Amino acid sequence: MHGPASSGWLLVALCAATGVYCLLRMRSGVEEQRSAAGGEALMGFGMAAMAVPAAVFTPPPWVWPGYAVVFGAAGLRALWAARSGRHHLHHLVGAAAMVYMAVAMTGSPAHAHAHGTSGTPVLTGALLLYFTGYVLLAGVRLIPVVAVAGGGAGVPPVPAPGGGPG
């Protein structure tokens, strides 16, 4: 992670907490939820590892190709799972983004890590827009829907408590 160490550590904490939460979600009784939570946990921990400030830890050069292989395999798994549900397409995009970041880090010289080289700007921007939209959409889905009594024309009336007429 390039930039101030405090923002890097906050990002590490957020990503690691997300990974732990997803591991806890793997206790679900539904197989598809367990599988999705496992993929999300892998992404969360991978992002946490990639976000460690460069001033604290500079990984050896072999780590970046290793990340590319791990997340490439996760992408292939997501592609295979996308046959049964489109939610896995998001995992495919996430895995592709992780591979892209790892390849960008592999291709940049060691001294450039501190100067913020970030790969192809168009692809980086497109991924930024995609994930921003995904987060906003997910946030909207978390807002509870409230039924409003007497909502106006064309809205069916909300039954009164007790089941009797209003």
Side-chain angles (χ1 to χ4, degrees):
M1 172 79 185
H2 314 296
S6 60
S7 62
W9 285 118
L10 287 172
L11 189 57
V12 168
L14 177 66
C15 293
T18 301
V20 169
Y21 172 73
C22 292
L23 283 180
L24 293 174
R25 282 185 38 224
M26 287 182 69
R27 298 182 303 173
S28 171
V30 180
E31 173 61 31
E32 184 167 325
Q33 288 179 356
R34 280 195 310 268
S35 175
E40 290 167 357
L42 176 66
M43 294 296 174
F45 290 128
M47 288 187 296
M50 290 177 122
V52 172
V56 174
F57 175 71
T58 302
W62 58 265
V63 168
W64 304 115
Y67 277 141
V69 168
V70 167
F71 288 107
L76 289 175
R77 184 176 184 282
L79 182 62
W80 181 259
R83 297 173 306 126
S84 64
R86 65 181 193 154
H87 176 72
H88 296 287
L89 292 175
H90 170 68
H91 291 164
L92 178 62
V93 173
M98 296 294 280
V99 169
Y100 169 67
M101 287 188 291
V103 168
M105 295 302 288
T106 300
S108 59
H111 67 277
H113 290 289
H115 298 294
T117 59
S118 60
T120 307
V122 173
L123 184 54
T124 302
L127 288 169
L128 178 64
L129 287 175
Y130 170 80
F131 285 110
T132 300
Y134 186 84
V135 166
L136 291 174
L137 182 61
V140 167
R141 282 190 254 151
L142 292 174
I143 299 172
V145 177
V146 179
V148 178
V155 177
V158 177

